[in-house]
Amino acid sequence: MPRIARSTLAAARCGLAAVVLQIVPAAAFAQTPESERPPAPGQFEGVPLPAGGTILPEADERTYARTRVEVPGFTLKPGLVLLGDYTFASQDPASIGQVGEQADQGQLRASRLMARGTIGTGYTVRYLLAAEYKGFDTTSDRDWEVSDASLTFPLRGPATTLTVGKTKQSFVYEMVGDAANLAFQERVLSPFFVSRAVGARLAHVTGDRMSTLSLGVFNDSWAGDSSRGPNDGTDVTARATRALWLADEGRRVMHLGVSVRSAGADGGLMRYRGRPESNVLSYYVDTGSFAAQRGLHLGLETLWQEGPFAVIGEYVRAKVDAPASGDPTFSGGYLGASWFVTGGNRPYDPTVGYARRVAAGSGNGELELVARVSFVDLDDGAVRGGRFRKTYLGANWWATNRWKFGAGWSRTWLDEAGTTGVTDALLLRAQWMY
């Protein structure tokens, strides 16, 4: 595969700027933000959550409505996500020799405070501010860290938007979706993306509302923060999706997607690493930092959903421009299945190209059973990052529209330096989301 010339990055930046300059803003709303329900057919505003889940004490929607601000020219909706985990781990001797003994431990996985809303009358701009509390993390030197700080501008109507600031990169289904609403507790393709970065993202929904296209350019050094070392690598991303069919308000869909990420090296170095299904376990695969210029990542994704049944799969291949290491190629992927025993569903949103928030239904909520097989391979050329294969079986109980409880068992086979170590892990999660 030919190496990516610097001129490619310059052309991408110029192309994005040209598209933006040619589009004249018009009064409209942007695409639905994260953690909302999909919009009604032909619309872009998410519909309200239906009443659901009465088995646990929960305030009604009128109580939450009192926390919102709606005045002429300005709206504000606060948000809060709390995720608590506990992981039990069991290893064979080979695994302990590879990664050390993994202790049973709990973690406040996420404590995220958000404020989102709109500014303006007639021409409306969306804003999103979010911060993660890091005070319980002994490896962090900050109590709070800004995860999102962005403005989204509609361009020529709601189908085209421009987001600027610190925001998500447009690459792979696992990343663009809201983590708190995914079927599986943790993402497996994390070695191949960054969660958020500073930059600009242009998104478009086709007239039939069956396809999406998003393009982005990102570089954290644009924010002027050098406290975490060199971060001068520029990333260029693109993601295109198509719903081959879509019916029953998003309950039936066949989705295909492709994404590309040209990842720049920071300070002339790149690193790929990942954990197996729990955030408290060690990095089982890790290339360490190695000299490189750029990585070209290609992602393929598919989702089939028929009522309460869904199958999802992704594959990522990364070709790294690193002559001293033999220009290694890394890969990862998974195939997963989901079944809502109680008949529920994770409704698909064609304006963003992924499935949205689960509504708890009525009474005792919704019970979801999930299974997944996955792999990550970071061994190639002179780079020995290791590779693992994984299986995962789990259950999610969406007790109310805000409470979710999950349990999942995973087995990981880590191949490293000619040995195979086995780790079994049980992850328990409690989640509350507003």
Side-chain angles (χ1 to χ4, degrees), residues 47-72:
V47 299
L49 277 168
T54 59
I55 195 169
L56 294 179
E58 182 64 87
D60 59 27
E61 288 302 313
R62 289 175 298 178
T63 301
Y64 291 111
R66 297 190 187 103
T67 67
R68 302 167 190 167
V69 176
E70 294 186 8
V71 297

Side-chain angles (χ1 to χ4, degrees), residues 227-276:
S227 61
R228 297 181 181 273
N231 56 357
D232 54 347
T234 297
D235 296 346
V236 180
T237 65
R239 178 175 181 256
T241 71
R242 176 70 181 175
L244 300 185
W245 67 78
L246 179 64
D248 196 13
E249 297 182 343
R251 288 177 56 86
R252 298 178 58 241
V253 66
M254 181 65 193
H255 157 103
L256 297 176
V258 60
S259 54
V260 178
R261 176 173 179 248
S262 175
D266 290 327
L269 300 174
M270 297 193 74
R271 183 178 190 178
Y272 295 78
R273 60 181 181 173
R275 307 178 194 267

Side-chain angles (χ1 to χ4, degrees), residues 162-174:
L162 175 66
T163 299
V164 296
K166 188 173 185 181
T167 186
K168 283 189 174 183
Q169 294 192 4
S170 48
F171 183 69
V172 304
Y173 187 100
E174 266 198 329

Side-chain angles (χ1 to χ4, degrees), residues 1 171-175 188-193 238-239 255-261 296-303 312-319 328-336 372-380:
M1 182 180 296
F171 183 69
V172 304
Y173 187 100
E174 266 198 329
M175 186 62 250
V188 74
L189 298 178
S190 55
F192 305 103
F193 57 71
R239 178 175 181 256
H255 157 103
L256 297 176
V258 60
S259 54
V260 178
R261 176 173 179 248
L296 181 61
H297 303 177
L298 173 66
L300 303 174
E301 61 191 61
T302 185
L303 168 67
I312 183 170
E314 289 198 81
Y315 174 77
V316 172
R317 188 174 181 85
K319 178 67 175 179
T329 298
F330 308 131
S331 60
Y334 67 87
L335 180 65
R372 178 166 70 175
V373 292
S374 60
F375 80 96
V376 172
D377 186 349
L378 302 184
D379 267 353
D380 195 46

Side-chain angles (χ1 to χ4, degrees), residues 132-198:
E132 300 269 1
Y133 182 67
K134 302 288 186 178
F136 294 117
D137 185 353
T138 57
T139 64
S140 175
D141 56 359
R142 305 180 183 182
D143 285 344
W144 288 91
E145 184 170 294
V146 175
S147 55
D148 294 87
S150 65
L151 296 172
T152 298
F153 302 89
L155 307 173
R156 279 194 176 178
T160 305
T161 59
L162 175 66
T163 299
V164 296
K166 188 173 185 181
T167 186
K168 283 189 174 183
Q169 294 192 4
S170 48
F171 183 69
V172 304
Y173 187 100
E174 266 198 329
M175 186 62 250
V176 298
D178 183 9
N181 294 309
L182 294 174
F184 311 103
Q185 308 287 34
E186 294 289 340
R187 298 174 171 116
V188 74
L189 298 178
S190 55
F192 305 103
F193 57 71
V194 296
S195 60
R196 286 159 174 85
V198 175

